[in-house]
Amino acid sequence: MSSENPPERPAPATPPAVSEAPGPDSPFRHESVRRDEAPQYVLPLVVRVEKAAPPARTDALETAARAVLEILGDERSRDGGEWAGAMRAWQDARIRKVVRRARGAEWRRASALPGITVTGGAGERAAEVRVFPPVPLDGWPKDLAKLQVSGTELDDPEPPAAPDAGVPVLWLNPAVTMSAGKAMAQAGHSAQLAWWELTDAEREAWRSTGYRLSVRTADTAHWRALTGSGLPVVRDAGFTEIPKGSATVVADHPVLRGADPR
């Protein structure tokens, strides 16, 4: 249950009048050659999947997206923080994310490593996702490296309700089928693209809500409108599961539409 596929960051409708070099608020390298030549890091995420009570799929996707936002906004990820170097190196290359699963003793060992655990949903199927600071592609901690990547699928016990008005929504492409882990990583990419577009004050306002968001699958007509709206679109690099360039998620944050999220 994984996604090592980093998105191709979409070009804005009107190219900004700034240098191609990554800036302090958006350190992602725009040129594919520079991005690929940079040292490659990966952001590990581990979802807790107990046999008796696996999380609901939508809760897992939303919790993974919030986990990415939590580590982006954490003080340890900021300049001078203990994770700052790894976070910068990761965002200067491809923003790879890998989702692995754990249960029982595996989850307890993973939880003992430096990171942030985020929960979502309610009841015995509530989702728990732990995000860790980025590591080199070949430098995983042993207690994470041995966790399973594939073989688990998640479902929703019932269709998710319509998202609340004013809440950021990460809209999934209805024409693309993804495993749960792949979709979790793609939702994380989408949340990160939205984050990059916000000011510090807008990020703090989102943080004050606990990074409230929804993940839903758009219908076909809505998806066409979303992809032409200028909102951030995740385009997959095509390393696993789906063809290169596939649009997977659109980040529909009210601020990016010029609306007050409150």
Side-chain angles (χ1 to χ4, degrees):
M1 191 168 65
S2 71
S3 175
E4 294 192 7
N5 298 34
E8 297 287 354
R9 194 178 188 190
T14 303
V18 297
S19 166
E20 287 282 319
D25 293 327
S26 183
F28 192 79
R29 296 180 185 271
H30 294 270
E31 305 97 321
S32 61
V33 173
R34 291 176 60 198
R35 189 169 61 234
D36 290 332
E37 288 179 350
Q40 298 294 307
Y41 281 70
V42 61
L43 187 78
L45 297 107
V46 175
V47 57
R48 184 178 185 180
V49 181
E50 300 290 348
K51 283 186 177 180
R57 182 185 176 97
T58 296
D59 287 344
L61 268 59
E62 292 175 349
T63 305
R66 289 174 46 235
V68 171
L69 294 168
E70 287 285 357
I71 198 166
L72 286 168
D74 194 276
E75 290 184 358
R76 290 165 288 184
S77 298
R78 299 175 186 173
D79 288 346
E82 61 186 284
W83 299 342
M87 291 292 290
R88 178 64 189 242
W90 169 59
Q91 292 180 93
D92 274 352
R94 291 184 177 269
I95 53 170
R96 295 173 180 263
K97 299 176 180 70
V98 172
V99 178
R100 300 192 174 195
R101 73 179 191 271
R103 63 173 180 262
E106 295 173 332
W107 174 256
R108 291 190 292 274
R109 285 193 294 269
S111 297
L113 298 174
I116 303 168
T117 297
V118 180
T119 60
E124 65 176 8
R125 293 192 65 176
E128 291 182 76
V129 175
R130 189 164 179 84
V131 61
F132 305 85
V135 297
L137 285 177
D138 58 355
W140 283 67
K142 65 177 183 179
D143 283 331
L144 300 183
K146 61 187 178 183
L147 296 177
Q148 294 297 313
V149 179
S150 61
T152 297
E153 191 49 85
L154 304 174
D155 58 27
D156 283 314
E158 56 186 46
D164 293 336
V167 174
V169 183
L170 310 178
W171 292 104
L172 302 172
N173 186 343
V176 174
T177 300
M178 295 181 282
S179 67
K182 176 77 169 181
M184 289 171 70
Q186 297 292 299
H189 292 330
S190 186
Q192 187 166 357
L193 293 188
W195 167 272
W196 278 344
E197 298 296 330
L198 302 178
T199 67
D200 287 345
E202 290 162 349
R203 292 171 181 174
E204 186 57 36
W206 199 4
R207 184 183 185 184
S208 71
T209 71
Y211 297 114
R212 190 179 177 200
L213 57 81
S214 296
V215 177
R216 297 291 187 272
T217 301
D219 62 38
T220 301
H222 188 201
W223 179 255
R224 284 198 298 266
L226 287 164
T227 54
S229 66
L231 293 167
V233 182
V234 178
R235 296 190 182 277
D236 194 73
F239 295 153
T240 64
E241 293 198 22
I242 57 179
K244 181 178 180 179
S246 297
T248 56
V249 196
V250 172
D252 189 359
H253 193 298
V255 169
L256 304 183
R257 290 182 176 272
D260 185 340
R262 295 170 295 179

